[in-house]
Amino acid sequence: MRACVQRVSSASVALVEENGRISGQIERGFLVLLGVGVADQEADALYLAKKIAQLRVFDDQDGRMNLNLSQVDGKVLVVSQFTLYADCVKGNRPSFTAAALPQDANRLYRLFITELNRLGIQTEEGVFQANMAVRLVNDGPVTILLDSINRAQNRKR
């Protein structure tokens, strides 16, 4: 499972087919673009939710990135993003064979959001498989790329 985490001062997602109806919006927090791969399991969703909830990238009183979402009353806007699994090695047209099938991806996407909520993080979300317009105001900018494949590698250290 892959996540592109952007620290934002605001973010929203609107549904293109519904004349721009806003499906989710936040002020301070993270915009998380979340991709699910074919080999991903529930443990991957739980790992990334915990990692993102505890990510300390908000400034403390000394201007150091030392605070997490809960400490700044931050929220998360989660948007499904299968294109995080694009393979562009051959040619110029990306292949998405590494992305999970929609029913599997949606199940893990939902689990990820449920887990963030269980951890006390308020979430908003896009609509799975919808054509969306995402707007954000980067804060920093701070952008962190996370991949749950690292959870297995961290256990070996």
Side-chain angles (χ1 to χ4, degrees), residues 22-41:
I22 302 290
S23 70
Q25 97 182 30
I26 63 167
E27 294 302 319
R28 186 176 198 188
F30 292 145
L31 168 64
V32 175
L33 304 176
L34 186 70
V36 181
V38 293
D40 289 334
Q41 301 171 0

Side-chain angles (χ1 to χ4, degrees), residues 5-12 26-32 58 75-77 135-140 142:
V5 181
Q6 295 179 302
R7 188 178 75 181
V8 298
S9 55
S10 66
S12 66
I26 63 167
E27 294 302 319
R28 186 176 198 188
F30 292 145
L31 168 64
V32 175
F58 295 94
K75 298 176 181 157
V76 177
L77 175 59
R135 290 184 174 86
L136 68 140
V137 177
N138 274 322
D139 179 14
V142 173

Side-chain angles (χ1 to χ4, degrees), residues 2 59 96 142 146:
R2 293 178 180 163
D59 292 347
F96 299 105
V142 173
L146 298 173

Side-chain angles (χ1 to χ4, degrees), residues 75-93:
K75 298 176 181 157
V76 177
L77 175 59
V78 184
V79 177
S80 63
Q81 187 76 44
F82 78 95
T83 59
L84 289 174
Y85 277 91
D87 180 354
C88 298
V89 173
K90 294 182 182 178
N92 295 314
R93 182 176 179 191

